[in-house]
């Protein structure tokens, strides 16, 4: 799971390596700097959209924040909010839809710009319109990154280079989606 990769849970056996380096040999901060996880349940804070996006890159200029939102297919809905990027979104962003929250998480990933991207059921609970926008944004986000997609929907992983099917923690199938 994504928790193992972030070392939020330790392995019982085996190892996870990135470029041949066991992740247990890396300082937690160093590991977390190179990995961005976009989870199924996006957590955002009771502050403005701009401040939530800035969590990914503290020194980001407003232009960088706008560019990341545009790349994440989020700028249009943000600009329609009463205070735009200055809109306070409420505790756990309850004022936003699941798709809007996911697009903000993708904008954070564009800002963070880490080499490893993990999509952990990022489009699991979305309607087809939001899933389409998110898939378009993720296609751009994945360029030049190692990307691990954890998903149950075939539509989410069908364009992946390698698809692994897990059952009770074991790989039972490996290959690509036949077009």
């Amino acid at each position: 799971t994504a928790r193992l990769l972030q070392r939020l849970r330790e392995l019982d056996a085996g190892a996870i390596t990135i470029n041949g380096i066991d992740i247990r040999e890396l300082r937690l901060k160093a590991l977390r700097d190179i990995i961005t996880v976009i989870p199924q349940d996006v957590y955002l804070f009771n502050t403005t959209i701009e401040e939530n996006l800035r969590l990914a890159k503290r020194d980001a200029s407003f232009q960088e924040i706008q560019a990341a939102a545009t790349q994440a297919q989020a700028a249009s809905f943000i600009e329609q909010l009463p205070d735009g990027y200055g809109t306070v979104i409420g505790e756990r962003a309850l004022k936003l839809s699941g798709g809007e929250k996911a697009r903000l998480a993708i904008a954070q990933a564009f800002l963070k710009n880490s080499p490893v991207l993990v999509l952990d059921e990022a489009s699991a609970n979305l309607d087809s319109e939001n899933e389409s926008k998110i898939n378009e944004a993720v296609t751009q986000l994945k360029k030049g990154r190692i990307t691990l997609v954890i998903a149950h929907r075939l539509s989410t992983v069908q364009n992946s280079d390698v698809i692994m099917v897990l059952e009770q923690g074991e790989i039972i199938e490996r290959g690509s989606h036949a077009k």
Side-chain angles (χ1 to χ4, degrees):
T1 73
R3 291 184 186 282
L4 292 172
L5 186 57
Q6 298 172 84
R7 291 189 46 209
L8 296 172
R9 251 186 64 208
E10 292 299 329
L11 293 168
D12 295 331
I16 298 173
T17 62
I18 298 175
N19 288 337
I21 299 169
D22 189 318
I23 63 170
R24 292 172 288 199
E25 294 176 20
L26 299 172
R27 289 186 342 266
L28 280 176
K29 181 176 178 353
L31 176 66
R32 292 179 183 156
D33 282 348
I34 64 169
I35 297 173
T36 296
V37 177
I38 299 176
Q40 177 178 354
D41 185 24
V42 175
Y43 189 90
L44 297 165
F45 294 94
N46 186 18
T47 188
T48 67
I49 288 176
E50 180 180 354
E51 289 170 354
N52 270 288
L53 294 178
R54 199 173 294 284
L55 292 172
K57 183 178 179 187
R58 280 272 160 227
D59 62 345
S61 69
F62 186 67
Q63 290 73 26
E64 287 176 297
I65 288 170
Q66 287 178 308
T70 299
Q71 291 173 298
Q73 305 288 318
S76 59
F77 88 79
I78 293 170
E79 291 163 4
Q80 292 176 1
L81 294 171
D83 295 316
Y85 290 85
T87 302
V88 175
I89 55 177
E91 191 65 37
R92 294 190 52 84
L94 292 175
K95 297 178 182 178
L96 301 178
S97 73
E100 291 167 340
K101 288 189 268 190
R103 286 183 271 165
L104 289 179
I106 293 168
Q108 287 176 323
F110 274 112
L111 282 168
K112 186 175 177 186
N113 198 26
S114 63
V116 179
L117 174 66
V118 180
L119 302 166
D120 190 1
E121 293 285 1
S123 61
N125 296 320
L126 303 176
D127 57 70
S128 59
E129 181 183 338
N130 272 310
E131 183 181 11
S132 172
K133 287 180 182 179
I134 286 169
N135 285 340
E136 187 177 326
V138 165
T139 297
Q140 295 305 311
L141 182 59
K142 291 186 330 186
K143 289 181 180 173
R145 291 179 172 79
I146 298 167
T147 305
L148 174 64
V149 180
I150 301 167
H152 286 89
R153 288 184 185 179
L154 179 59
S155 63
T156 304
V157 298
Q158 68 185 4
N159 294 323
S160 297
D161 295 329
V162 178
I163 300 171
M164 293 182 211
V165 179
L166 299 175
E167 188 173 285
Q168 297 186 7
E170 299 289 325
I171 299 171
I172 60 168
E173 203 171 332
R174 178 187 180 122
S176 63
H177 181 64
K179 303 242 177 208

